[in-house]
Amino acid sequence: MTRAAIIIGGVLLLLVAAAGWFAPYVYGELAVWLEPHAIVDSAPARLARGRMVDDYFAVEDLGDGTFAIGEPRYYQQNYSYLIVGETRAVLFDSGSGTRDISGVVAGLTKLPVTVIVSHLHFDHLGGIGAFEHVGMIDLPETRANVSGGVFKPSRYEYMGFFDHRAAPSFRVGEWLAPGGAIDLGGRSLRLLSTPGHTPSSVALLDSANRRLFIGDFIYPTTLYAFLPGASLSAYQATARMLLGTMPKDTVLWTAHCCRKSEGVSAPWLSMADLRDLDAALAAVRAGQARATGFYPRVFPVNDEMTLATGFPWNNQ
Ligand SMILES: [Zn+2]
Ligand SMILES: [Zn+2]
């Protein structure tokens, strides 16, 4: 009897561990049915700042040759950023690909454009096919995606099934060293490796203008720290690295809209918000934070953000 109880207990433990391991994948596959939604809102966007292009893209001039290009009618309300130097420009994220962003970019600069994506999720990489020159962070994970000279993200790196999209294949023209400088002529950016949301996530630092383009690491609304590849320990290590190295007046330009008080406009956060995220991560990892929901578990961060995590809550 005791032996039977031990075996049954062991099997149950294994089942719980397996459920935790597979949950990010199962959640991703089922999300399209669990959370049905229109890809594009049929209503026109009402911008707090900037102007609409083709009734789909929102363009906002941030000054210093920097533009935010948003997709406010796309259900994830993504924002990409165009950073223009004297000899070339960088587009940080290629848009979701729901509509072709390249015409908007061509309307803002005639210089050659290099696209660098913040990470490989479909809503940031989906528009890559319209561009000829792609720069990619040089990591073992990203090199592993190249076969026959062509880069293709895996199913669970791209997650395109959320929008019924197949992953794109493309050539990488420039492998970029983590921490390395990117010369645009007259201005320079630095590529930072910022794992947490995904292992190969990056941020672009424009230190002359105190701007950090930070992708999905942090943004207003709910942070996703539970999809395949997400890691709370990596999230916290990156947050601490940024808190320890960025000036306090750095503005974080994020990849999803919107701030509560500002309506539809390029979404930004401050270093104070990053400190709040670090504190929330510490509380979650110490088992001292109260969550709502079963999967994902959603923890409070501050007025602008919550943090959604998977199994186990405190030790990913
Ligand atoms: Zn993402
Ligand atoms: Zn995203």
Side-chain angles (χ1 to χ4, degrees):
M1 194 65 186
T2 308
R3 181 178 293 182
I6 289 171
I7 291 171
I8 290 168
V11 168
L12 283 174
L13 266 177
L14 277 175
L15 283 173
V16 168
W21 175 259
F22 287 113
Y25 302 91
V26 174
Y27 174 90
E29 295 284 357
L30 297 181
V32 71
W33 287 284
L34 293 173
E35 301 167 16
H37 54 260
I39 301 289
V40 176
D41 189 345
S42 56
R46 297 186 183 283
L47 301 187
R49 290 191 294 270
R51 62 189 169 90
M52 290 299 289
V53 175
D54 296 336
D55 198 30
Y56 180 77
F57 291 103
V59 174
E60 195 173 323
D61 187 344
L62 304 181
D64 308 306
T66 304
F67 301 88
I69 307 173
E71 299 172 73
R73 291 175 55 204
Y74 178 55
Y75 72 104
Q76 302 221 25
Q77 298 193 297
N78 280 62
Y79 271 76
S80 304
Y81 293 90
L82 180 67
I83 305 152
V84 184
E86 290 170 4
T87 56
R88 68 163 170 160
V90 159
L91 180 65
F92 190 54
D93 283 336
S94 66
S96 68
T98 308
R99 295 215 194 150
D100 182 357
I101 200 172
S102 66
V104 183
V105 173
L108 293 169
T109 181
K110 299 300 175 210
L111 294 173
V113 174
T114 299
V115 182
I116 299 170
V117 290
S118 61
H119 61 298
L120 302 176
H121 284 161
F122 64 100
D123 49 325
H124 305 260
L125 185 64
I128 200 81
F131 296 93
E132 284 183 4
H133 195 77
V134 177
M136 182 68 66
I137 188 165
D138 195 349
L139 295 174
E141 295 94 320
T142 48
R143 288 276 184 175
N145 287 325
V146 179
S147 175
V150 175
F151 186 103
K152 185 171 185 181
S154 72
R155 179 176 181 81
Y156 294 105
E157 286 174 320
Y158 189 61
M159 306 291 289
F161 39 82
F162 271 70
D163 282 9
H164 301 290
R165 294 240 185 97
S169 298
F170 53 93
R171 290 189 183 276
V172 173
E174 203 174 340
W175 288 97
L176 303 164
I182 301 165
D183 183 13
L184 305 183
R187 75 189 294 188
S188 179
L189 304 173
R190 191 163 296 281
L191 181 78
L192 306 180
S193 172
T194 51
H197 178 68
T198 73
S200 57
S201 291
V202 303
L204 279 185
L205 174 63
D206 179 1
S207 55
N209 295 300
R210 293 281 203 270
R211 288 181 175 138
L212 183 66
F213 303 93
I214 198 161
D216 277 4
F217 185 83
I218 188 172
Y219 51 78
T221 71
T222 299
L223 305 179
Y224 275 33
F226 64 93
L227 297 177
S231 159
L232 282 198
S233 54
Y235 233 113
Q236 190 158 32
T238 296
R240 297 215 160 148
M241 178 275 287
L242 295 172
L243 287 167
T245 53
M246 299 291 124
K248 284 191 170 56
D249 57 353
T250 305
V251 175
L252 313 174
W253 291 95
T254 78
H256 290 281
C257 198
C258 299
R259 290 178 67 84
K260 272 187 183 154
S261 57
E262 295 202 354
V264 181
S265 56
W268 61 273
L269 291 169
S270 68
M271 293 297 284
D273 292 309
L274 188 60
R275 264 197 303 283
D276 289 344
L277 174 59
D278 178 50
L281 285 162
V284 170
R285 296 187 71 212
Q288 294 168 347
R290 291 175 72 92
T292 55
F294 176 67
Y295 194 90
R297 301 278 279 169
V298 180
F299 294 91
V301 177
N302 67 16
D303 281 352
E304 294 287 357
M305 286 176 284
T306 54
L307 176 71
T309 75
F311 300 113
W313 328 126
N314 55 359
N315 192 32
Q316 289 180 58

